[in-house]
PDB file of all heavy atoms in Angstrom:
ATOM      1  N   ARG A 290     -20.248  14.642  21.195  1.00 90.00           N
ATOM      2  CA  ARG A 290     -20.657  14.770  22.642  1.00 90.00           C
ATOM      3  C   ARG A 290     -21.938  15.506  22.707  1.00 90.00           C
ATOM      4  O   ARG A 290     -22.218  16.390  21.843  1.00 90.00           O
ATOM      5  CB  ARG A 290     -19.501  15.548  23.388  1.00 90.00           C
ATOM      6  CG  ARG A 290     -18.288  14.859  23.608  1.00 90.00           C
ATOM      7  CD  ARG A 290     -17.198  15.672  24.320  1.00 90.00           C
ATOM      8  NE  ARG A 290     -17.704  16.912  24.913  1.00 90.00           N
ATOM      9  CZ  ARG A 290     -17.815  17.228  26.177  1.00 90.00           C
ATOM     10  NH1 ARG A 290     -17.513  16.329  27.073  1.00 90.00           N
ATOM     11  NH2 ARG A 290     -18.205  18.411  26.588  1.00 90.00           N
ATOM     12  N   ALA A 291     -22.733  15.197  23.717  1.00 85.00           N
ATOM     13  CA  ALA A 291     -24.041  15.807  23.906  1.00 85.00           C
ATOM     14  C   ALA A 291     -23.852  17.264  24.060  1.00 85.00           C
ATOM     15  O   ALA A 291     -24.748  18.163  23.738  1.00 85.00           O
ATOM     16  CB  ALA A 291     -24.780  15.224  25.085  1.00 85.00           C
ATOM     17  N   ALA A 292     -22.696  17.800  24.640  1.00 78.00           N
ATOM     18  CA  ALA A 292     -22.468  19.153  24.890  1.00 78.00           C
ATOM     19  C   ALA A 292     -22.329  19.942  23.573  1.00 78.00           C
ATOM     20  O   ALA A 292     -22.416  21.186  23.503  1.00 78.00           O
ATOM     21  CB  ALA A 292     -21.252  19.419  25.678  1.00 78.00           C
ATOM     22  N   GLY A 293     -22.125  19.242  22.464  1.00 83.00           N
ATOM     23  CA  GLY A 293     -22.025  19.896  21.166  1.00 83.00           C
ATOM     24  C   GLY A 293     -20.703  20.374  20.683  1.00 83.00           C
ATOM     25  O   GLY A 293     -20.519  20.916  19.649  1.00 83.00           O
ATOM     26  N   GLU A 294     -19.680  20.200  21.607  1.00 92.00           N
ATOM     27  CA  GLU A 294     -18.286  20.592  21.310  1.00 92.00           C
ATOM     28  C   GLU A 294     -17.324  19.494  21.674  1.00 92.00           C
ATOM     29  O   GLU A 294     -17.657  18.692  22.577  1.00 92.00           O
ATOM     30  CB  GLU A 294     -17.963  21.882  21.999  1.00 92.00           C
ATOM     31  CG  GLU A 294     -18.763  23.074  21.624  1.00 92.00           C
ATOM     32  CD  GLU A 294     -18.302  24.311  22.327  1.00 92.00           C
ATOM     33  OE1 GLU A 294     -17.530  24.263  23.258  1.00 92.00           O
ATOM     34  OE2 GLU A 294     -18.885  25.368  22.004  1.00 92.00           O
ATOM     35  N   PRO A 295     -16.196  19.443  21.005  1.00 96.00           N
ATOM     36  CA  PRO A 295     -15.242  18.367  21.391  1.00 96.00           C
ATOM     37  C   PRO A 295     -14.735  18.615  22.817  1.00 96.00           C
ATOM     38  O   PRO A 295     -14.667  19.705  23.333  1.00 96.00           O
ATOM     39  CB  PRO A 295     -14.145  18.541  20.357  1.00 96.00           C
ATOM     40  CG  PRO A 295     -14.291  19.818  19.804  1.00 96.00           C
ATOM     41  CD  PRO A 295     -15.678  20.261  19.881  1.00 96.00           C
ATOM     42  N   GLU A 296     -14.479  17.534  23.515  1.00 94.00           N
ATOM     43  CA  GLU A 296     -14.038  17.516  24.847  1.00 94.00           C
ATOM     44  C   GLU A 296     -12.559  17.891  24.879  1.00 94.00           C
ATOM     45  O   GLU A 296     -12.083  18.648  25.776  1.00 94.00           O
ATOM     46  CB  GLU A 296     -14.261  16.168  25.536  1.00 94.00           C
ATOM     47  CG  GLU A 296     -13.737  16.112  26.961  1.00 94.00           C
ATOM     48  CD  GLU A 296     -13.990  14.732  27.562  1.00 94.00           C
ATOM     49  OE1 GLU A 296     -14.068  13.741  26.816  1.00 94.00           O
ATOM     50  OE2 GLU A 296     -14.088  14.665  28.759  1.00 94.00           O
ATOM     51  N   LYS A 297     -11.784  17.321  23.934  1.00 96.00           N
ATOM     52  CA  LYS A 297     -10.346  17.540  23.999  1.00 96.00           C
ATOM     53  C   LYS A 297      -9.765  17.316  22.535  1.00 96.00           C
ATOM     54  O   LYS A 297     -10.451  16.792  21.681  1.00 96.00           O
ATOM     55  CB  LYS A 297      -9.671  16.521  24.946  1.00 96.00           C
ATOM     56  CG  LYS A 297      -9.927  15.078  24.558  1.00 96.00           C
ATOM     57  CD  LYS A 297      -9.317  14.127  25.554  1.00 96.00           C
ATOM     58  CE  LYS A 297      -9.592  12.703  25.114  1.00 96.00           C
ATOM     59  NZ  LYS A 297      -9.121  11.742  25.976  1.00 96.00           N
ATOM     60  N   CYS A 298      -8.551  17.713  22.370  1.00 97.00           N
ATOM     61  CA  CYS A 298      -7.912  17.508  21.045  1.00 97.00           C
ATOM     62  C   CYS A 298      -7.587  16.012  20.934  1.00 97.00           C
ATOM     63  O   CYS A 298      -6.951  15.462  21.802  1.00 97.00           O
ATOM     64  CB  CYS A 298      -6.611  18.345  21.035  1.00 97.00           C
ATOM     65  SG  CYS A 298      -5.534  18.005  19.604  1.00 97.00           S
ATOM     66  N   PRO A 299      -7.974  15.407  19.791  1.00 96.00           N
ATOM     67  CA  PRO A 299      -7.646  14.005  19.565  1.00 96.00           C
ATOM     68  C   PRO A 299      -6.193  13.765  19.371  1.00 96.00           C
ATOM     69  O   PRO A 299      -5.686  12.616  19.357  1.00 96.00           O
ATOM     70  CB  PRO A 299      -8.509  13.581  18.419  1.00 96.00           C
ATOM     71  CG  PRO A 299      -8.770  14.868  17.668  1.00 96.00           C
ATOM     72  CD  PRO A 299      -8.741  15.964  18.678  1.00 96.00           C
ATOM     73  N   GLN A 300      -5.444  14.824  19.060  1.00 95.00           N
ATOM     74  CA  GLN A 300      -3.944  14.644  18.820  1.00 95.00           C
ATOM     75  C   GLN A 300      -3.136  14.697  20.094  1.00 95.00           C
ATOM     76  O   GLN A 300      -2.372  13.773  20.257  1.00 95.00           O
ATOM     77  CB  GLN A 300      -3.515  15.823  17.892  1.00 95.00           C
ATOM     78  CG  GLN A 300      -4.297  16.086  16.696  1.00 95.00           C
ATOM     79  CD  GLN A 300      -4.377  14.992  15.673  1.00 95.00           C
ATOM     80  OE1 GLN A 300      -3.465  14.110  15.571  1.00 95.00           O
ATOM     81  NE2 GLN A 300      -5.504  14.848  15.018  1.00 95.00           N
TER      82      GLN A 300
END
Side-chain angles (χ1 to χ4, degrees):
R290 293 179 4 113
E294 296 182 352
E296 179 180 25
K297 62 184 178 178
C298 172
Q300 312 297 331

